[in-house]
């Protein structure tokens, strides 16, 4: 099986469309989604509806049909009023208010029904835990659930028991693996260096070690590369592949300005604003 792994689209429909077009050439069998379909950009509801079509229910063990392999993120909970407003930045909160005002009942129902975590048998004997933020804080409801390096992965490993854990939330691609040589009582985790954007440097082949993997963000990358990020997990080759896709950033920025026309300029176009940061991938 070949799984596409996507996360953090955040209402950026041009980025999602570019990734789905790119996926058409990668012989993928199914799509896993790690949360935050909504938030920040102009097309949250359209993105949620598009993902509902693509992230199809399938009969994995541990996944009750018709459950989709899509876990809730903090912005999904923000959009349905399940998280306190203080947990969001002023720009995120401004966007969430508009999203809530525009959201059809069916989209709200879809978001409200998303699970906080899933365990899925991806292939015979290969099981993955899916969460948005971290296995200790699945949805990112505390504001502290960021897994950013090997040390964070070592902490996180106490909260999942499967071989693989898939997370999003930081908007930066990351692969951490449990190191072969162990000190008793303190397993060591290290970040793998595979971040070229094309083969073979974008590919990590794994064995029986435990892994934590973040595909980066489709809609708002924060690792300095403005292109949309996603990943493919090939369970036969036992490999993760990271991919980057250029998309029409100016279109997303224009749609944002039209949608949030009542926003203070600083929220959109000042340095670090929602539109400006897309050009820099931060
Ligand atoms: Zn996010």
């Amino acid at each position: 099986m070949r799984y596409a792994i996507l996360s953090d689209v955040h209402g950026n429909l041009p980025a999602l469309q570019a990734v789905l077009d790119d996926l058409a050439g990668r012989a993928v069998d199914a799509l896993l989604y790690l949360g935050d379909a909504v938030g920040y950009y102009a097309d949250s509801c359209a993105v949620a509806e598009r993902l509902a079509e693509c992230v199809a229910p399938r009969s994995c063990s541990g996944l009750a049909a018709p459950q989709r392999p899509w876990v809730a993120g903090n912005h999904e909970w923000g959009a349905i009023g399940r998280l306190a407003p203080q947990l969001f930045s002023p720009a995120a909160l401004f966007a969430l208010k508009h999203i809530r005002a525009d959201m059809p009942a069916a989209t709200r129902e879809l978001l409200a029904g998303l699970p906080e975590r899933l365990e899925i048998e991806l292939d015979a004997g290969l099981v993955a835990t899916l969460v948005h933020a971290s296995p200790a804080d699945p949805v990112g409801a505390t504001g502290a659930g960021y897994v950013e390096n090997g040390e964070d992965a070592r902490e996180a490993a106490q909260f999942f028991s499967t071989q693989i854990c898939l997370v999003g939330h930081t908007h930066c691609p990351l692969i951490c693996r449990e190191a072969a040589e162990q000190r008793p009582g303190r397993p060591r985790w290290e970040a793998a260096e595979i971040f070229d954007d094309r083969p073979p440097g974008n590919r990590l082949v794994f064995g029986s070690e435990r892994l934590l993997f973040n595909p980066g963000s489709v809609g708002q990358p924060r690792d300095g590369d403005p292109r949309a990020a996603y990943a493919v997990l090939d369970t036969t080759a036992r490999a993760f592949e990271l991919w980057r896709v250029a998309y029409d950033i100016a279109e997303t920025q224009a749609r944002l300005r039209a949608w949030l026309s009542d926003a203070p300029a600083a929220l959109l176009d000042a340095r670090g604003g929602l539109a400006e940061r897309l050009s820099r991938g931060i």
Side-chain angles (χ1 to χ4, degrees), residues 7-10 35-36 38 40 74-75 132 168-171 217 220 222:
S7 192
D8 295 275
V9 177
H10 283 294
D36 278 6
V38 305
Y40 298 137
N74 51 316
H75 284 253
H132 175 63
H169 194 48
T170 66
H171 297 207
S217 167
Q220 193 198 68
R222 294 178 189 164

Side-chain angles (χ1 to χ4, degrees), residues 32 34 71 116-122 126-132 134-136 138 159-167 210-213:
L32 310 178
L34 302 177
V71 287
E116 294 179 42
R117 73 191 279 154
L118 286 171
E119 284 187 12
I120 300 180
E121 185 165 30
L122 301 172
L126 186 65
V127 185
T129 299
L130 277 61
V131 290
H132 175 63
S134 87
F159 297 92
F160 70 95
S161 55
T162 54
Q163 184 184 349
I164 294 172
C165 184
L166 303 175
V167 304
R210 298 180 76 208
L211 297 134
L212 182 140
F213 183 61

Side-chain angles (χ1 to χ4, degrees), residues 9 13 29 36 38 58 77 95 137 139 148 170 208 235:
V9 177
L13 192 57
D29 301 296
D36 278 6
V38 305
R58 44 186 310 277
W77 275 24
D137 177 11
V139 179
E148 296 177 304
T170 66
S208 58
T235 61

